[in-house]
Amino acid sequence: MRIREFIKKRQSIICVYTFIVTLVLVYIPLVNVLSNQNDYKVSLRRFFPIILAGVAIGILALIIMDVIINRGKGSRIYYILIFSVSICMYVQYNFINPHFPSFNGVEPDWMQYKTYSIVSTIMWITVTSLCIIIGLKYKDIFYKWTGYLSAFLSLVLLLSLTYIAITSKKPNSASTFVKEDQFSIGRDVNIVVFLIDACEYTIMQDYLASEDYEPGTLDDFTFYYHATSGGSQTSTGLPVLLTGSEYDPMQDFDEYSRLCWEDTDLYDDLHSKDFDVRFFDEGISGFPNGIADNYTETEYFVNSYFDMAGEVYKLSGFLAA
């Protein structure tokens, strides 16, 4: 009876806690993973320990805060703030966030998102202010209906997550390049190295003119300043380098990469002249079989769940706030 009475008395705050945990610790990270499975390179099941640990820690933190706050007079303000933050995160993630480009190591031009930032700030201030005013003036009605709304939105999130999980595209098979003979070099063994970088071409000219450059050390080096690159990673740099076709953020990146790889005859020409084509990289998105002689399918593992959890929830926090 005591448990039932406690739940009935605290049902609104329980619903709000369920809403914020579902949104921030389950829905956003899993949707992000499901939408970018090829970028994460590890199977979805390897994220479940992270999600379960995140939910457990989140619930524990909320319980501790609830116990501390309810000993004082700030419980109503605490409830209002928890609900308002939850609603703001929900609106921010689902309705305000722009379509961000691929985070491939290049610093985005944040100024182009200035309008979104202003709209987001106005939304957070407005929603929080309204919640505080209504919550303080109409306590019982606010508690009742925010509990119902939180429970409803939690159910919507779980149903949406289930739908996304069912309809999401199956990720490409994990792949890698065999490292055998990676450092072999000699009279009969030649290595061609492509250095793909996102730096401006003037950086090389500045370096050659600086005091740090030792004359003669780069005499055999050819710098193609007119080459077009798409990022500091090989997987994003090579497709652009091969075709000159830059990536449109609205396009599926794997489809774009596949078209770029199929659009060049370079590797067919090299193979026709009996060249052994090899890539020494961790794996390239959209890379088709039959191009590299050291290409093989594999499975990636998680070396540190702690580090991966930090990155997953760091990105989730960025998208929600």
Side-chain angles (χ1 to χ4, degrees), residues 290-304:
I291 287 183
D293 295 293
N294 62 333
Y295 177 85
T296 183
E297 293 187 355
T298 186
E299 182 178 1
Y300 289 96
F301 297 91
V302 179
N303 291 326
S304 173

Side-chain angles (χ1 to χ4, degrees), residues 124-262:
W124 276 78
I125 295 175
T126 303
V127 171
T128 303
S129 301
L130 287 175
C131 286
I132 292 175
I133 293 172
I134 297 173
L136 293 177
K137 190 173 184 180
Y138 306 102
K139 175 185 174 183
D140 294 336
I141 296 175
F142 183 81
Y143 271 55
K144 179 180 178 180
W145 287 104
T146 52
Y148 289 155
L149 180 60
S150 297
F152 172 74
L153 292 177
S154 298
L155 180 61
V156 169
L157 291 174
L158 292 175
L159 291 176
S160 300
L161 181 60
T162 302
Y163 175 79
I164 293 172
I166 294 174
T167 58
S168 61
K169 294 192 303 181
K170 184 179 179 181
N172 297 332
S173 299
S175 60
T176 189
F177 299 100
V178 178
K179 303 294 185 180
E180 183 180 358
D181 296 331
Q182 179 175 359
F183 300 106
S184 298
I185 190 169
R187 180 176 299 176
D188 300 322
V189 182
N190 296 318
I191 298 178
V192 178
V193 180
F194 288 91
L195 297 178
I196 313 300
D197 204 348
C199 65
E200 298 291 337
Y201 75 90
T202 55
I203 291 178
M204 187 65 177
Q205 296 176 339
D206 294 340
Y207 170 70
L208 294 176
S210 69
E211 297 179 356
D212 296 326
Y213 170 64
E214 298 182 11
T217 56
L218 295 177
D219 287 349
D220 296 327
F221 179 77
T222 303
F223 182 69
Y224 296 95
Y225 63 89
H226 58 285
T228 302
S229 175
S232 57
Q233 299 178 2
T234 307
S235 58
T236 54
L238 268 178
V240 184
L241 183 70
L242 293 171
T243 62
S245 176
E246 296 189 6
Y247 170 62
D248 181 357
M250 300 301 293
Q251 185 181 5
D252 180 76
F253 183 76
D254 290 325
E255 178 66 14
Y256 157 77
S257 297
R258 184 185 63 79
L259 293 174
C260 286
W261 287 109
E262 293 177 354

